[in-house]
Amino acid sequence: MAASPITTIERAFELARSGRFASVSDIRLALRRERFDQVEAHLAGSSIARQLRALCDEARRGPAAAAPEASEDA
């Protein structure tokens, strides 16, 4: 049985985590270039936009910036 194709939302989250995109607009453009359907409708909500922005920011900062520093007292 073949794996089902990836959804627009799943691909948007993959792109956000990649570190290659600075904004949700950039992700929308990439999804359109990859020929995903109804990109605007899928990414229209403020909640998903907020989640994607946070992932973009985190991915672009890198893993060291995402993890809190260990306390020296521990």
Side-chain angles (χ1 to χ4, degrees):
M1 177 186 243
S4 58
I6 189 167
T7 67
T8 304
I9 300 290
E10 290 170 323
R11 183 63 178 144
F13 276 85
E14 282 182 353
L15 295 174
R17 288 185 192 102
S18 74
R20 297 182 346 223
F21 299 93
S23 69
V24 177
S25 295
D26 293 341
I27 292 171
R28 284 186 185 113
L29 182 59
L31 289 168
R32 281 191 226 106
R33 285 183 180 154
E34 292 180 13
R35 305 226 185 265
F36 279 88
D37 291 331
Q38 301 179 358
V39 171
E40 294 302 321
H42 286 293
L43 303 185
S46 60
S47 179
I48 192 162
R50 185 172 44 254
Q51 291 174 16
L52 291 172
R53 273 193 306 274
L55 286 172
C56 286
D57 292 345
E58 183 178 314
R60 290 172 62 81
R61 282 194 310 263
E69 298 278 334
S71 173
E72 291 182 18
D73 296 332

